[in-house]
Each structure stands twice: as C-alpha cells, then as structure tokens.
C-alpha cells in the first residue's frame, strides 16, 4: 500500500480514536482461534492420513486452484466451541476459488476430522455453499473423503427439510440449471454420500484409495452375510471399468486434481454482467487504520464515515440525503472498481432514516447498483411519540425494500446487530448474497441488560445476571459463526479485499426486474 494521505482534521480524529481503542486482544484472539479451526484435527489423524499418501483438505484446494489466485474460504468457524471442539471448521472446507480461470465453488471433506463425517453444522455449511453456487452460477467441485453422517447425531441431521438429503436435492437443481458439477473421490464415499459422485456430471476416483458404495463391507456382511473388501465392493477399478459410476481413474491425489483441472478447462467461460468497472484506486488510508475506529465496547458509536473511507476506492463517498435521516448513512462509492450503494448505521433507525433507506434502495434497484449494508444497529427508535407517528409503518417500508431488492446485496456486521434492526439492514433472514461479521460484533434480539430489565419489569426475572451472561455468550460473533448464521468472521483490515471478491462473484447473477409490495403511506 502507498503512504497514508490525511488532512489535519483526519489526523486529529485518528489520534483521538487511538487513545480510546483496545482492539489488540480482539485481533490476537481472532488469529489464534482461526489457526485452531484450520488445524485439520488431531495430529495423530493427520499423520495417519499422510501415511496413506493423502493430502490434507486445504492442501488439495491449494493444488486445485490456479497459482497466485484467491480462495475465499467460507464459515471457517462452523461448529466452533461445540462438540468439545472435535469438529474444527465442521469437518468440511468450503469456498470460492479460480480453476483454469473460472470461478468455482469448492466443497472439500476434511477426513482428518472424525473421518469427514457430517454433523448439523457440516450439512448447513455444505448446503450454504450450494446455495451460493446456485445464486451465482458457479460450477461446483466436490473433493469427497467422508464417512457420511456422524451416527451419534443422526436424529439431528437426517430427516428434516434442510438436513443431509437436501445436498442431493440441490445437486439435482444445480444440474437442471446447467451448472457443472465434478466429484473427485479421494477417500471414503459411503451410504447417502455415494449420491454426491453419482449425481455429478463427471467423477474422478483415486486408485486404491477412493471408494463409493451405498453400504460398506460391515453393512453388507450384516445384511447378507457376504464378506467383501472395500476395494472389491466399490473401489476405483470397479467403478471405472465395471459399474461406470466413475469416469476417470487417478493414481493419487495430485493426479486426481490434475484431471479435475483438465475437466474444468473444458467448461464454457461464464458471462458476467456487462457493467462499467473503473480502474481500481486504493483508499487514502492504510487497511490497518480501520482498527483505530473499533472498540470492544459496543456502547461507543462507530464513525461510519471513517469506516467507509477505508473500504472504498480513493476514499470517495458520494452521500445521498446527507442532511436528512442521518442516523442511517446512504450513498454511492466504488469498491475495487465496482459501483455500489452503501447503507451504514450511525445510530438507531428513525422514521426519517427508514424512509431514506427505502428510497435509496429503490434507486439502486432502478440503476442496477449492488448494495452493501454495514450493520451497527440497536434497532428502531422506541417511545410513545414515535409509535404515534407510525414508526412501525415507516420501518415496514424499509423492510419491504430490503426483502424485494433484486440487485446483489452483501452485509457486514461491524458492531451490534440487534432486534428488528438486523432485519431492516439485510440480516440472514433477508438472504444477502454474503454476510460477514467482524470479530468483536454481536447479534441478538436485544442486549442482555435490556432483556433482564424487561423480565424484571414484568416480574419474571429471578436471575438477571445469569440472563445477561447468557446473552453475552449467545450474541458473540463466534457463537453466530459456529452455527453458520453468517458466512464467516473476517479480519476488518481485509474487508475491502473480501468485498471486492464477493461483489465480483455476484456479477455472475442474471439481471432481475424489481417488484415491490404495498408501501403503507
């Protein structure tokens, strides 16, 4: 990065901010936790895996993607601090990478984590990856090395609408939409999991290593009394020369990935939206300067203008309705050359800011401009005066606009995300194309102190401190990301780069005509 360009006023602001911030511990904890969840499980399992001549999941991805290109990993903290931390990254690595110049969704089972078996969060992460692929027309590559469902959790992962079977449903939908899918079977592929390669366009299997079968040798023996080895039952030779379930036989992991890359090279190159993308120009501030405006105390306001200036090209932000409804900041800027409309919270939402937000979203839809929501929101303003003025009606306008927007939208929770403010600012329920969180951010129906106060007022609070601690735990970014309520916790200083990648990926989406419901006047 070039030298920081600041005027005297901005320098004074930064100096004051530095005196009040205490973000170093947050950064340290984030990097330590990230290192843990990317560890691929116990050393013993990794050693055994390598002795079999196999690569770790992220090593496979590194060889698959084009050299010196990005891999946008998603939901690294899935299952964090659950299951006694026995499922780092939920035993699966998902993300978007470049393979032979084509953006692809990659789903890689991590066999060193409980044999690559699936718990609830593994399934949610796998399905979320497929949803992103569907929305953005991304070819899917499955690096399969999994024992299927983690049997002790079967009741939580098998029968429901978005449980294990949804994976194959999504594969059928991807196929019907003409989105290519490749499976590279690099280990076990058992039971329902056998449908992953069976439903792909092409399947590669590693010799003397990959296996595909509906029922493994123990189940076959129990059901029929037949004794058969895994290789005889469903190995590479069987499926490439007898059954035809697989199409290509590879010698090892490296060879399998070379074959996969060769297949992808034959895919048609997807056409992106034809929009004006200007030359990328760096912000006037170093990425790390963003920390000067962050605090672990969410009661302290965040200077949203300072955050925006560190995310957008040339720190140039053209504000819309600057002097109206100024608890919500709206305006246009470019991120990595792409024009975006930005909505960022400066405080709670008022009737004026809700109307302003709805107006701005309509403009962006009409101009085909994607949206960026920067959430730091306590909710809508409350009180007798505001209820009489119809705050619910004006809030509904904003929610109508957010729910029915047809341009891509990306949400970053940069502070608090509480109550209906979460909804109005494109929370998970409103299907943003990507939703990221910063390490210190929090998300819940309200703050713990407010919840305790409400229950105390109505005479139902016997343990206020306990409730406050519960809310503190359950509102953390790590609690959210563990349950795949977002697409990952990201480093604030890397947000601009990640947003640039994410908006570029959304250019694969088709254009849609905006339609709205009833705006109560």
């Amino acid at each position: 990065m070039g030298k920081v360009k600041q005027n005297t006023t901005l320098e004074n602001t930064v100096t004051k901010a530095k005196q009040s911030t205490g973000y170093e511990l947050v950064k340290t904890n984030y990097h330590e936790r990230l290192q843990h969840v990317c560890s691929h499980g116990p050393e013993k399992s990794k050693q055994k895996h390598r002795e079999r001549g196999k690569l770790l999941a992220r090593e496979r991805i590194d060889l698959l993607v084009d050299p010196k290109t990005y891999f946008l990993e998603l939901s690294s903290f899935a299952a964090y601090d659950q299951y006694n931390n026995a499922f780092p990254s939920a035993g699966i690595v998902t993300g978007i990478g470049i393979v032979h110049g084509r953006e692809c969704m990659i789903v890689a089972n991590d066999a060193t984590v409980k044999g690559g078996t699936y718990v609830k969060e593994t399934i949610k992460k796998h399905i979320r990856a497929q949803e992103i692929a569907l929305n953005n027309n991304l070819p899917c590559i499955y690096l399969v090395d999994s024992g299927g469902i983690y049997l002790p959790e079967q009741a939580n992962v098998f029968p429901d609408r978005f449980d294990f079977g949804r994976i194959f449903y999504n594969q059928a939908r991807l196929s019907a939409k003409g989105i290519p899918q490749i499976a590279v079977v690099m280990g076990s592929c058992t039971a329902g999991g056998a449908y992953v390669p069976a439903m792909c366009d092409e399947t590669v299997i590693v010799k003397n290593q990959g296996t595909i079968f509906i029922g493994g040798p123990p189940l076959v023996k129990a059901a029929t009394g037949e004794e058969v080895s895994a290789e005889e039952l469903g190995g590479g030779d069987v499926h490439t020369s007898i059954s035809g379930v697989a199409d290509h036989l590879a010698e090892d992991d490296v060879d399998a990935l070379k074959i996969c890359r060769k297949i992808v090279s034959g895919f048609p190159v997807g056409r992106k939206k034809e929009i004006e993308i200007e030359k990328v120009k760096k912000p006037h501030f170093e990425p790390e300067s963003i920390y000067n405006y962050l605090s672990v105390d969410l009661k302290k306001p965040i200077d949203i203008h300072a955050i925006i200036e560190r995310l957008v090209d040339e720190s140039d932000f053209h504000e819309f309705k600057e002097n109206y409804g100024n608890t919500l900041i709206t305006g246009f800027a470019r991120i990595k050359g792409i024009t975006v409309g930005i909505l960022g919270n400066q405080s709670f939402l008022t009737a004026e800011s809700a109307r302003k937000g709805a107006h701005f979203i309509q403009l962006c839809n009409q101009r085909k401009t994607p949206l960026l929501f920067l959430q730091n929101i306590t909710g809508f303003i409350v009180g007798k005066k505001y209820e009489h003025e119809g705050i619910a009606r004006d809030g509904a306008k904003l929610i109508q606009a957010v729910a029915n927007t047809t341009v891509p939208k990306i949400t970053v929770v940069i502070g608090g995300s509480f109550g209906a403010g979460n909804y109005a600012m494109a929370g998970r329920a409103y299907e943003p194309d990507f939703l990221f969180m910063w390490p210190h951010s929090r998300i819940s129906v309200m703050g713990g102190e407010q919840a305790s106060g409400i229950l105390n007022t109505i005479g139902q609070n016997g343990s206020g401190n306990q409730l406050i601690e519960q809310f503190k735990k359950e509102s953390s970014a790590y609690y959210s990301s563990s349950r795949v309520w977002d697409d990952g916790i990201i480093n604030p200083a890397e947000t601009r780069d990640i947003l640039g990648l994410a908006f570029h990926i959304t250019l694969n989406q088709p254009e849609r005509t905006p339609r709205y419901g009833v705006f109560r006047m």
Side-chain angles (χ1 to χ4, degrees):
M1 299 290 290
K3 291 184 178 180
V4 178
K5 300 176 184 177
Q6 296 175 334
N7 59 35
T8 305
T9 304
L10 287 171
E11 286 176 351
N12 292 337
T13 304
V14 169
T15 302
K16 291 177 182 178
K18 281 182 176 177
Q19 294 172 355
S20 63
T21 189
Y23 211 75
E24 287 302 316
L25 183 59
V26 174
K27 290 195 290 181
T28 299
N29 286 340
Y30 168 74
H31 289 298
E32 288 178 352
R33 291 170 179 177
L34 184 62
Q35 186 176 16
H36 167 73
V37 298
C38 294
S39 66
H40 296 284
E43 287 298 324
K44 185 178 179 181
S45 296
K46 288 186 283 187
Q47 183 180 349
K48 190 175 181 180
H49 190 79
R50 291 189 186 281
E51 287 172 353
R52 292 172 175 166
K54 299 167 75 173
L55 299 171
L56 298 176
R58 289 181 179 83
E59 292 173 341
R60 289 168 171 169
I61 292 171
D62 287 342
L63 282 179
L64 177 63
V65 300
D66 294 351
K68 298 181 180 180
T69 61
Y70 72 84
F71 175 67
L72 179 58
E73 184 168 338
L74 304 170
S75 302
S76 300
F77 286 93
Y80 174 75
D81 215 18
Q82 298 188 72
Y83 312 102
N84 295 317
N85 280 314
F87 286 86
S89 288
I92 196 169
V93 183
T94 64
I96 300 164
I98 307 293
V99 182
H100 259 292
R102 295 151 177 85
E103 289 170 334
C104 297
M105 176 60 72
I106 301 169
V107 178
N109 297 118
D110 195 345
T112 55
V113 176
K114 296 290 185 180
T117 52
Y118 282 65
V119 290
K120 181 179 180 180
E121 289 71 25
T122 321
I123 294 169
K124 288 185 72 174
K125 190 170 172 179
H126 192 141
I127 290 172
R128 175 60 181 153
Q130 291 178 314
E131 289 173 349
I132 292 171
L134 271 167
N135 292 337
N136 295 281
N137 292 307
L138 300 176
C140 290
I141 300 172
Y142 306 98
L143 304 182
V144 185
D145 198 347
S146 170
I149 287 173
Y150 183 62
L151 293 180
E153 290 288 313
Q154 70 86 25
N156 296 320
V157 300
F158 175 68
D160 210 352
R161 181 183 178 190
F162 290 102
D163 283 348
F164 199 61
R166 189 75 178 194
I167 293 170
F168 319 122
Y169 172 85
N170 284 342
Q171 282 191 264
R173 291 179 63 216
L174 283 157
S175 183
K177 198 174 178 181
I179 298 175
Q181 298 175 85
I182 301 173
V184 185
V185 181
M186 313 174 90
S188 180
C189 187
T190 306
Y195 289 110
V196 171
M199 298 190 70
C200 283
D201 301 349
E202 293 188 57
T203 293
V204 182
I205 189 168
V206 178
K207 188 177 183 179
N208 297 320
Q209 182 174 297
T211 55
I212 304 170
F213 31 63
I214 299 297
L219 181 59
V220 170
K221 184 177 180 180
T224 69
E226 180 184 8
E227 292 192 12
V228 61
S229 70
E231 189 65 26
E232 292 172 325
L233 184 63
D237 285 325
V238 169
H239 286 308
T240 54
S241 62
I242 300 174
S243 74
V245 171
D247 309 296
H248 309 276
L249 185 62
E251 292 296 320
D252 53 25
D253 280 7
V254 175
D255 187 38
L257 295 168
K258 286 180 180 177
I259 295 170
C260 180
R261 285 181 52 82
K262 185 70 173 176
I263 295 169
V264 175
S265 71
F267 290 172
V269 177
R271 292 187 60 184
K272 289 182 174 287
K273 291 176 186 173
E274 295 182 2
I275 66 167
E276 180 186 3
I277 300 180
E278 291 196 359
K279 182 180 178 181
V280 176
K281 297 178 181 179
K282 296 177 182 178
H284 292 170
F285 309 93
E286 295 288 349
E288 287 73 18
S289 68
I290 204 166
Y291 297 122
N292 298 329
Y293 297 90
L294 303 181
S295 171
V296 294
D297 183 3
L298 294 185
K299 293 179 181 177
K300 295 181 179 179
I302 294 177
D303 184 347
I304 193 65
H305 287 96
I307 299 299
I308 291 170
E309 287 170 353
R310 281 150 182 81
L311 298 179
V312 304
D313 292 8
E314 288 195 297
S315 302
D316 184 18
F317 179 58
H318 179 213
E319 192 161 348
F320 173 75
K321 283 186 182 289
E322 181 179 357
N323 299 316
Y324 179 81
N326 54 18
T327 64
L328 178 66
I329 305 303
T330 59
F332 299 96
R334 292 184 185 269
I335 295 179
K336 299 284 183 168
I338 298 174
T339 299
V340 300
I342 300 174
L343 299 92
N345 302 117
Q346 194 66 17
S347 182
F348 45 72
L349 288 166
T350 63
E352 292 82 6
S353 58
R355 292 195 294 266
K356 170 181 171 179
H359 182 180
F360 181 70
I361 290 170
Q362 285 183 306
L363 283 182
C364 289
N365 273 268
Q366 191 173 68
R367 298 174 186 179
K368 312 296 184 186
T369 302
L371 292 162
L372 171 62
F373 293 82
L374 299 175
Q375 280 199 19
N376 180 35
I377 178 69
T378 55
F380 285 88
I381 194 168
V382 296
K384 179 180 176 180
K385 175 179 181 292
Y386 306 106
E387 296 294 352
H388 286 193
E389 291 175 353
I391 182 65
R393 177 191 58 230
D394 291 309
K397 291 184 177 70
L398 180 55
I399 288 175
Q400 275 275 8
V402 172
N404 289 300
T405 183
T406 53
V407 296
K409 55 182 183 283
I410 296 175
T411 302
V412 183
V413 182
I414 66 171
S417 177
F418 298 110
N422 167 277
Y423 302 155
M425 289 294 292
R428 187 66 142 188
Y430 289 75
E431 298 188 349
D433 293 282
F434 294 94
L435 190 156
F436 301 109
M437 299 189 73
W438 283 356
H440 70 289
S441 61
R442 293 190 171 274
I443 179 170
S444 64
V445 68
M446 64 181 67
E449 293 177 359
Q450 289 86 350
S452 178
I454 290 171
L455 291 179
N456 186 55
T457 299
I458 62 176
Q460 293 186 17
N461 189 6
S463 52
N465 290 334
Q466 183 179 346
L467 186 66
I468 291 172
E469 286 304 310
Q470 177 189 339
F471 268 66
K472 183 178 179 181
K473 175 185 175 182
E474 293 178 355
S475 66
S476 80
Y478 295 99
Y479 191 94
S480 166
S481 215
S482 175
R483 287 149 184 83
V484 200
W485 296 344
D486 53 64
D487 295 312
I489 302 173
I490 61 174
N491 183 348
E494 296 175 356
T495 302
R496 170 176 158 82
D497 288 338
I498 290 171
L499 288 175
L501 295 173
F503 276 119
H504 195 268
I505 289 162
T506 64
L507 293 178
N508 296 302
Q509 296 179 13
E511 288 191 358
R512 305 177 183 91
T513 302
R515 293 186 63 183
Y516 298 102
V518 175
F519 285 80
R520 292 178 63 90
M521 305 305 289

